[in-house]
Every structure is written in structure tokens, then in C-alpha cells.
Amino acid sequence: MSTPQLILKQRAELLAVLCGGGSAEPLDCVLDLLLAWEVLVWEDYLSIQVAEKALNYKVRQLLDVVYDKGEDACSCLLAAMNQVLPEEQKAGLCFGEECAVVGKNRPDTATLTLLADRPVLVRKLRDNIDGALNVLLTTDCFTIKDCDVVQLPVYTPSQQVRRLLDQVRFKGETAAKTLLQFLEQTETTRPNPEDKENHPSANCMLYQKKLRSSVAAQSHTLSTYGGTGHFSLDDIYTDGLLEVMDGSGETTTLGLEDVVGPVGTLNDDADTFLVSGEAGSGKSTLLQRLHLLWAREALLTNIFLLFPFSCRKLNAEHRELSLKELLFLHCCWPDRGQDEVFQFILDHPNLVLFTFDGLDEFKQGFTDEERHCCPTKQVPIPVLLFNLLQGTLMKGVMKVVTSRPQAVGPSLKRYLRKEVLLKGFSPGGIDCFVKKHHSDPAMARRVIESLQANSVLLSLCHIPVFCWIVTKCHQELLGSQDGIPQTITDVYLLVLQHFFQRKSYQPQGVLGKAWLEEHLDTVLKLGQLALESLEASCYVFSGYELQRIGLTEQDVSMGFLIYCNDLSVTDCKRYEFLHITLQCFFAAFYLVLNRNSDRSAIYRLFQPKNKQLSGLSQRCLGHCIDSSVEGVKSHVTETPNLQITAQFVSGLLSQRHHNLLQECCPTAVRERKAKQVVKSLSKGMQRHFKSIPRPVEGEKKSMHAMPSFVWLIKCIYEMQDSSIAQDTMAKLDVEHLKLTYCNIGPVECTALAYVLKYLRNPVGLQLDNNSVGDVGVEQLLPCLHICHSL
Ligand code: ADP
């Protein structure tokens, strides 16, 4: 088949892969190559890259332009796509015979050189945009306005480079020469990784190979798909929204490759990069993707050794360890030349990267009180970890840390090079994820349609873990008689049903009405494990702990607990919940259903964090708490988890789930607990309202909400009882409600609108510095009548 025919025949597929993740990067890379190979001329390029047009328009335009140019151009397009697309996206596509791109003579002008070398220049300049702009500015080739055009925050760094190259081309030969000279100079001053002293020995190379293969094996599948085994990370990974804020509050969108790049650097002296995001926003998955791509030499190619750590697993390490032991015992053991490998690591910090997943789950809150800089001295794990993060130990090694934002206090912030915010999926990302999840396009379409028909559900799907549940439970969702899920409690009840259904002998889609009662014993045991360990910041359990609670093999086989995926050298099996939010859900179930629970347990759950620490069920926690850290003051980690648990408790005690719970919990007990929740929420709100300062004369009475205000609102929403929302809001008397920097996304907007619509008097609502988005704005519609400004 001729190449134009190949393009025509595969048009839909080519369009899909170039638009796939909603990112313009694959298309841009293909365009770079076609410009460099002179398949496209500048006018073609401009006709494709029309600023205000959507990505699929541009791709169609490219296919048309190239098709019109005939056989050779089409061969080049297919060759370019073959070069740019990752292996997993090429499956099923035919790129025709290999096309030899004819080597042209070197161009004789600087402007043409920029075009011919465009793909390489984009890579080289990405990390040095500021430097290049500086030179162009000081040589008067660029004005300040030109620089602003290049650095618009909506562009990723690669897009900024392309804007820069386009602008230089527009300015003419002198600007192009200046840029090329600048690049030449930076090349000669940069250290060459091939230098002899950087060159690793055979033992180091062997170690790298072993490390790469164990990191690849560990990151190949997603734990949430572990049991089903038919998804690799490649099949399902969907780009999340990554943003970075510079010192002046401007945000820039980043690609995965920019997480450790220079954009957004706040502190040049620090080496720790933080990726922060709410539970389920995809932090661990992002790190896993980074690991996998490193292991395949597809990203972070300048990093020779990458050591991945999980903070929840480090919690279980009670020995004192040296840095060497930490690396070799917890990640990968060198078969030969241990000392030599370790010396290489010490001598080349710039070639090493450590990642620490889930700092928020580390038992001890960050402190920089104890300094330690000796790589061979044994110290407790927290000392080792905190000194690595500060850079006291192994200065120069890059560290990527993930955490929920609440756990990152000012003492850690001082040591951050930059903070990248992970905001979950974009609307395009949700579609892309659903399509990847369902190989049957008709099913994917049905799920997407059902999401689009229900904006509450759609807003939930911005958080990947909810999106995973909704997609996984599509059968329960599409065939549900109980209506479409409105709250996160509804969504997690779907998961529960789904997992029990999977193990039941009844036909597909049918689970008896009394399904919860049937499985109550399992739910309670999992609940006890979940709650007791949450309070002790313990997320990994030994077989012994499961036994103590009475969890059997059959309970475990339901799938809520999974084996820990671990690189460390240990011979006993360990378990964790599928996701931390699921652990919170079971903990909530336990609080609601356990008949023996302490009567004030619910009140304590809703207490502000400093009063909470005495423990909700003071029994049985000893097993989880390491005696060496008992009494540690900073139990920061539980607070966000207990807040999520409280949200689920509110949801489960909602009148809506009365029928489900009635056989499992006496009505009087359920009602008592529900009343306790309502009282706690009302008190919590009162505390907020009391903090409202008296208005200064001539100024509006305004309240600056704290993130816990949003949490209370979310709990009220979970209860789905308008009278509670009404009663609470009746007491709020302000003219201006400031909700800036409160981590408000589409999910929070749904809850806000549900509650704020009952405000007595109109308010001005200030939502700057959140990530509301279009879907969020749509969620806010029900309360717009009461907002005199937004
Ligand atoms: P976090 O670490 O922020 O709590 P996780 O990375 O554990 O969140 O994500 C929870 C689940 O959501 C994952 O197990 C996976 O099923 C899904 N998920 C998260 N991010 C992605 C992604 N980028 N692509 C596909 N699925 C994702």
C-alpha cells in the first residue's frame, strides 16, 4: 500500500494517537522533525499551528497538508510519528517501509540552521530558556514584550522554546546568530558526562543494570490493577495536570519531564523537588511512571542511579541504618564491588536521584533539629531521611518527594527547590483514561456519556482514584437502581459492592439487597484494622496483625488488601489497603457499625487536630506504634486521613443509606451517631464563624476561610440533607467570603454550591488560587444567585 493510502486508511488512529493524552507535545515533535527535514515549509507550519484552534483541528490539518504533498512527504510523516510516539501507542499502526531521510547539506544561514536543528534545539534549550532570553534581550534582539510572549505561563517549557525559536526566526539573521552563539558557549562550559572521571566502572554498570531491572519490574503494573493483571502502567497511564507557581504567584503548566527541570525553581541551593496533591490525585502513580521511564532510559537520561523509597515502608524500618545500608538494603543489593559502587555514588551526587513517595505517611513530621552528614554512620531512619531532604547528607543528589500539601510545613519548605502541584485529570484526561480502561470503544463511549450526563460524577472524576473506581465499577454504575452516585461515600459503596460481587457466586450484576449484612464480618474486621492503624500512622501490616484481628485468607481474597510491592530485602509478606482512601472508608465503616465503640468516638473524630491525638479507640494500638517514636508529638499524618474518614462517616450516616445499614446497626445507635455528626459539624462551623473579625468601619464584613472550613462543607455535603446545610448557613453573616488557597477543585465546588445556596444574604465569593476550572464553575451554578460577585 502506498504511504498516502496508509495515511488515509489510518486517519482516525493517527488522529487518536496524536491527540491521545490531550497534550500537544507529540504533534509539536512531529512538526519539528518535518520542518527540519524540509517536508513542511514555514507557510505550511503556520497553517497548521493556528493559535486559537483545537489540537484535533491541527492534526487534521497536518494530515491534509502532508497528504497533498504526495508519497515522499507521507513517508516522512509516518517516519516522524514512528520516531516520536512511545512503543505502546504504536501497537496496531503501520508506518510503511522504513524511509531514509536524505541527509541535506548544512544550511548556509543561521535562520535555516534553526529550522534544520529544531528537534535538537528544543531539547537543548528547554533547561536554559531564561539564559537564552537574557542574551537576546541584552543584545537588543528581543524586547521585554518578546520575552513575555515566549514565557506565557500556559506554555510548557518545550512550547516556550518553540515560541522562542519562532520569534527568533521572525527577528531575522542577527537574532538567529546570537542564539546559536549562545548555545555554542553553553555547550563548551557544561561538563561532559562522558568525561573520564564521570565514567563508571564495570561493577557500577552491572549495578545500574540490576537496579534498572528491579525498578522496571516494580513499576510495571499499577497496584490498583494488581489482581486483574491485564493492565500495565503503559496501558493505563494518563497524564495528570501539573502546575508550578513562581515567586510572583504565576502558574505554569508542566510536563512529566519538567518535574525536576528548572522551571519554577524557588531556591537554587536546594535539591528537593516536591510533588504535592490531595489523596488519590495520582502522586504515587506519577512517581511510578517516572521510575519506569528512567528504567527504560526514556527519561531522566542524565541520572545514572535512581533509588525509589516509599515512606510508608520506611515506617516499618526500626533499625538504625547508614546511608549505604539504606540504599542497598531497601533498594538493590550490589552483587559485586559494594564499596566501589558506594564510592561512585558519593563521588557523583549529580548522577543520582532519590525518590520518596508519601512523605505525609511518614510517622514523624519533618524537623531539621538534628544534623547528620556522615554516609557511613548508622542513625535512625527519620534522621537519615530528613538530612537527605535538607541536603546536609549527600548534597547535590536530586530528591523527588511526594506528599499531601497539609504535611508540608514551613520548616520543610525552606529546603525545597520547587513545589509542583498535581491537580488530577483534566476533562480531556478523564476521557483518555476511560478509553484506555475499556478496550471496547462502545463501552468507553457509554461510560463517557454517563459521566457527561452527570456533572457531579464528572467533577469527582478529576481525582484519578475516583475516576478509577467509577470506570472500574461501570457495570454497577450503568445498571444501578439506586441512582447515580452523588458523593464520595456513594462512589466507595460502589467499590465495596463491586468487590463483593466479584467473589459472589450470583450472576453478574446481581448482589442481594442484604449484601452488606452478608459481608458484615469482613467489613468490620477490615474496619478495625483500618481505624487502629490509621491512628497509629501505620499503612503496612504483617500477617500477624491480620491474624490478631481475625482476618482470614478469604477476607484477604476479596481484594481490598494487597501485597506490598517492595524492593527491600525481607522475607515476610506484608499487606496494605488498595489505596489510603479505602483504608479511611473502612475505618469509617467501623466507627459507624461497631456496637462496642466508645460513645465519644465520633465527637473526637471531628475535633480540631490538637485535641484529637488521644486516639479514637484507645485499645490495641500498641502493635502498630513503634516504641521509639511513641510519644512523638507530630502525628501530622493522621489529620488528613481522619478528615477523609470523617467525611465518609458523615456519608454513611446520611439518611440516604439508612436502608443499607438498617440490618447491620440498630436504628437508635445509627440515629445517635448521626446526631453527633450534625452537632460536631455545627460546632465546627461555629468555631469558624467566631473567628470572623468585626468589620472595620466602611469595610465589608468578611471571612477568610481555612481549609478546614472546606472540609466541614464537604462533610455536610456527604450527608445530603438540605436542612443541615440550611441551619448551618443561617448563622453565617458575612458580606465577603474569601476562599483563596483552599485547594478547591471541581469536587469541592459541588459541595460549596450545595451548602452556600442556603446563605441568607448575598456574598462576594473569592476563589483565587484554586483550581476550579470549567467543570467547577458549572458546579457552582446553584449558588450563583446568592453571590453578588465571584
Ligand atoms: P496518590 O498517591 O495521590 O494518593 P495514586 O497515585 O495512588 O494517588 O492514585 C490512585 C489510583 O488512581 C491509582 O492506583 C490509579 O488506579 C489511578 N491513577 C492515578 N494517577 C493515574 C494516572 N496518571 N493514570 C492512570 N491512573 C491513575
Side-chain angles (χ1 to χ4, degrees):
M1 196 184 291
S2 71
T3 46
Q5 278 171 322
L6 268 180
I7 290 194
L8 213 51
K9 193 158 168 272
Q10 304 182 98
R11 188 172 167 98
E13 290 82 4
L14 298 179
L15 184 67
V17 285
L18 280 180
C19 298
S23 150
E25 188 60 20
L27 171 68
D28 288 344
C29 290
V30 168
L31 287 175
D32 293 341
L33 286 170
L34 295 182
L35 280 172
W37 297 341
E38 295 176 29
V39 176
L40 296 180
V41 293
W42 194 245
E43 288 67 31
D44 297 326
Y45 175 73
L46 293 180
S47 76
I48 295 165
Q49 282 290 30
V50 185
E52 65 277 13
K53 294 289 185 190
L55 183 58
N56 54 13
Y57 166 91
K58 295 180 185 176
V59 175
R60 286 199 180 95
Q61 187 70 9
L62 166 70
L63 296 175
D64 293 346
V65 169
V66 173
Y67 182 84
D68 285 345
K69 286 181 184 271
E71 178 86 35
D72 287 349
C74 291
S75 306
C76 288
L77 171 62
L78 290 169
M81 288 187 67
N82 199 3
Q83 191 169 324
V84 165
L85 293 173
E87 280 309 317
E88 64 271 14
Q89 287 189 7
K90 290 197 280 193
L93 285 176
C94 175
F95 295 96
E97 282 187 18
E98 212 147 284
C99 119
V101 178
V102 189
K104 306 242 165 44
N105 289 336
R106 285 300 296 162
D108 42 17
T109 68
T111 334
L112 288 178
T113 307
L114 288 189
L115 270 193
D117 292 346
R118 188 169 168 103
V120 185
L121 293 179
V122 170
R123 249 175 286 137
K124 281 191 183 163
L125 274 168
R126 279 165 42 94
D127 292 345
N128 211 349
I129 303 175
D130 286 343
L133 285 176
N134 249 340
V135 169
L136 289 163
L137 200 61
T138 46
T139 49
D140 286 335
C141 296
F142 265 28
T143 61
I144 299 268
K145 205 165 154 221
D146 294 323
C147 297
D148 289 346
V149 169
V150 169
Q151 286 187 304
L152 278 181
V154 289
Y155 298 127
T156 63
S158 306
Q159 285 171 326
Q160 292 188 355
V161 175
R162 293 188 181 100
R163 299 284 297 193
L164 185 144
L165 291 172
D166 297 353
Q167 197 73 358
V168 167
R169 183 190 154 82
F170 174 72
K171 296 279 172 184
E173 197 56 18
T174 314
K177 270 190 193 146
T178 310
L179 182 63
L180 289 175
Q181 270 165 8
F182 162 74
L183 276 163
E184 223 169 86
Q185 274 162 12
T186 41
E187 296 274 277
T188 48
T189 49
R190 193 174 289 171
N192 180 0
E194 299 297 318
D195 281 352
K196 216 172 166 35
E197 60 168 313
N198 276 344
H199 215 73
S201 66
N203 282 342
C204 292
M205 294 301 288
L206 266 181
Y207 183 65
Q208 185 200 41
K209 199 165 162 215
K210 184 175 178 191
L211 184 63
R212 274 199 203 278
S213 71
S214 52
V215 170
Q218 192 205 23
S219 50
H220 180 253
T221 48
L222 259 181
S223 59
T224 37
Y225 292 94
T228 54
H230 40 251
F231 277 115
S232 67
L233 186 65
D234 289 329
D235 291 335
I236 198 71
Y237 185 80
T238 307
D239 283 326
L241 271 174
L242 282 170
E243 279 180 5
V244 77
M245 203 183 285
D246 64 20
S248 58
E250 287 284 346
T251 46
T252 309
T253 312
L254 297 184
L256 184 61
E257 62 285 359
D258 305 312
V259 169
V260 292
V263 182
T265 300
L266 298 172
N267 178 356
D268 280 318
D269 293 333
D271 314 308
T272 297
F273 298 78
L274 173 72
V275 177
S276 71
E278 293 302 328
S281 58
K283 301 178 295 295
S284 308
T285 311
L286 175 139
L287 217 48
Q288 201 176 321
R289 184 76 183 151
L290 219 56
H291 296 162
L292 187 64
L293 293 179
W294 172 78
R296 287 186 185 150
E297 300 181 56
L299 202 74
L300 302 171
T301 43
N302 53 342
I303 295 298
F304 186 72
L305 298 172
L306 182 150
F307 294 94
F309 295 98
S310 145
C311 292
R312 66 163 57 176
K313 286 168 196 159
L314 287 180
N315 277 334
E317 178 58 84
H318 303 312
R319 292 170 292 182
E320 296 204 344
L321 295 183
S322 68
L323 175 70
K324 185 175 172 187
E325 288 161 337
L326 178 78
L327 299 183
F328 292 169
L329 287 175
H330 275 261
C331 288
C332 180
W333 189 260
D335 295 325
R336 293 205 331 231
Q338 264 182 52
D339 291 336
E340 186 185 328
V341 172
F342 190 59
Q343 195 55 47
F344 181 84
I345 295 170
L346 295 181
D347 292 343
H348 299 89
N350 57 326
L351 301 181
V352 179
L353 181 100
F354 297 161
T355 67
F356 296 100
D357 190 23
L359 187 66
D360 51 333
E361 293 187 350
F362 196 62
K363 255 186 200 145
Q364 207 166 318
F366 178 84
T367 93
D368 56 1
E369 283 157 17
E370 192 171 338
R371 296 294 160 122
H372 162 74
C373 58
C374 172
T376 48
K377 189 175 162 213
Q378 292 179 327
V379 286
I381 293 292
V383 177
L384 208 50
L385 171 61
F386 299 157
N387 279 282
L388 282 171
L389 297 183
Q390 286 167 53
T392 322
L393 183 62
M394 293 296 289
K395 176 88 196 133
V397 169
M398 277 203 273
K399 276 85 53 176
V400 181
V401 179
T402 70
S403 173
R404 279 183 265 181
Q406 298 89 336
V408 184
S411 58
L412 177 59
K413 285 216 162 144
R414 288 200 293 143
Y415 299 104
L416 296 183
R417 189 171 179 92
K418 73 180 191 192
E419 178 172 359
V420 178
L421 310 173
L422 179 56
K423 306 238 159 157
F425 290 152
S426 65
I430 298 175
D431 280 8
C432 179
F433 175 84
V434 175
K435 285 183 191 150
K436 286 183 171 188
H437 189 106
H438 292 288
S439 52
D440 171 9
M443 177 53 82
R445 218 175 312 120
R446 278 186 70 196
V447 175
I448 292 175
E449 277 164 13
S450 74
L451 289 181
Q452 272 157 0
N454 182 301
S455 62
V456 174
L457 203 54
L458 184 63
S459 68
L460 281 175
C461 287
H462 284 79
I463 307 289
V465 73
F466 301 156
C467 197
W468 165 71
I469 295 175
V470 167
T471 316
K472 191 174 180 68
C473 303
H474 64 279
Q475 252 160 2
E476 288 80 354
L477 187 76
L478 297 174
S480 159
Q481 282 112 37
D482 305 333
I484 290 182
Q486 297 288 318
T487 63
I488 61 162
T489 310
D490 298 349
V491 170
Y492 278 71
L493 281 170
L494 270 187
V495 173
L496 218 59
Q497 266 174 288
H498 178 87
F499 277 63
F500 287 136
Q501 169 67 49
R502 230 179 29 174
K503 293 281 162 183
S504 101
Y505 299 107
Q506 289 153 8
Q508 279 279 311
V510 189
L511 200 61
K513 271 242 163 287
W515 63 269
L516 182 58
E517 199 186 348
E518 236 172 79
H519 296 283
L520 187 61
D521 183 50
T522 309
V523 172
L524 279 175
K525 284 185 286 187
L526 286 170
Q528 185 183 347
L529 178 73
L531 180 65
E532 290 181 4
S533 44
L534 267 191
E535 293 171 321
S537 311
C538 173
Y539 312 94
V540 179
F541 324 104
S542 66
Y544 163 75
E545 273 149 358
L546 266 53
Q547 247 177 17
R548 187 186 59 81
I549 288 189
L551 279 158
T552 60
E553 289 259 329
Q554 204 195 343
D555 295 325
V556 175
S557 73
M558 289 295 169
F560 302 110
L561 289 175
I562 48 169
Y563 293 128
C564 275
N565 195 353
D566 211 343
L567 286 183
S568 62
V569 190
T570 148
D571 44 8
C572 70
K573 257 191 205 163
R574 295 193 296 163
Y575 304 81
E576 59 193 340
F577 279 92
L578 257 184
H579 192 255
I580 181 69
T581 46
L582 199 66
Q583 184 170 351
C584 297
F585 184 59
F586 276 106
F589 247 123
Y590 190 68
L591 280 165
V592 169
L593 295 182
N594 176 23
R595 297 182 192 191
N596 308 322
S597 73
D598 158 5
R599 284 178 81 88
S600 53
I602 300 251
Y603 281 135
R604 273 204 302 274
L605 182 66
F606 285 87
Q607 293 264 336
K609 59 180 174 226
N610 49 350
K611 298 195 187 161
Q612 220 170 38
L613 300 179
S614 53
L616 295 165
S617 63
Q618 284 123 334
R619 304 162 298 123
C620 310
L621 292 184
H623 68 282
C624 269
I625 303 178
D626 165 21
S627 54
S628 63
V629 293
E630 213 170 1
V632 165
K633 56 185 182 302
S634 41
H635 277 244
V636 276
T637 60
E638 308 95 287
T639 308
N641 293 331
L642 293 180
Q643 287 192 340
I644 299 173
T645 308
Q647 237 178 298
F648 283 130
V649 165
S650 313
L652 288 171
L653 288 170
S654 135
Q655 194 58 31
R656 283 149 51 82
H657 299 307
H658 173 76
N659 286 348
L660 179 68
L661 299 194
Q662 68 179 356
E663 299 303 329
C664 308
C665 176
T667 307
V669 176
R670 199 189 71 80
E671 281 176 359
R672 171 174 56 81
K673 292 186 179 178
K675 270 193 195 140
Q676 289 181 332
V677 170
V678 176
K679 209 164 156 193
S680 306
L681 291 175
S682 169
K683 268 192 166 169
M685 280 298 193
Q686 294 287 328
R687 263 194 297 272
H688 253 92
F689 299 163
K690 275 194 197 138
S691 67
I692 303 172
R694 284 173 173 280
V696 181
E697 217 180 280
E699 271 184 23
K700 289 190 171 156
K701 189 170 179 189
S702 90
M703 178 175 108
H704 193 156
M706 293 296 162
S708 66
F709 175 77
V710 180
W711 162 61
L712 290 170
I713 296 248
K714 281 168 45 174
C715 292
I716 296 176
Y717 176 75
E718 288 296 310
M719 294 208 89
Q720 290 287 298
D721 183 336
S722 51
S723 62
I724 302 175
Q726 215 162 346
D727 289 351
T728 326
M729 281 303 108
K731 291 164 204 144
L732 178 60
D733 173 27
V734 286
E735 292 160 279
H736 190 83
L737 188 53
K738 208 169 167 188
L739 284 159
T740 51
Y741 295 102
C742 282
N743 264 328
I744 294 174
V747 185
E748 286 71 25
C749 289
T750 313
L752 270 177
Y754 181 82
V755 178
L756 292 185
K757 71 180 176 207
Y758 294 108
L759 276 170
R760 291 262 170 91
N761 301 313
V763 288
L765 195 58
Q766 193 177 344
L767 282 165
D768 303 329
N769 296 101
N770 289 294
S771 26
V772 173
D774 289 348
V775 181
V777 171
E778 199 182 328
Q779 294 306 301
L780 286 172
L781 291 178
C783 74
L784 284 194
H785 66 278
I786 200 80
C787 297
H788 56 66
S789 63
L790 184 65

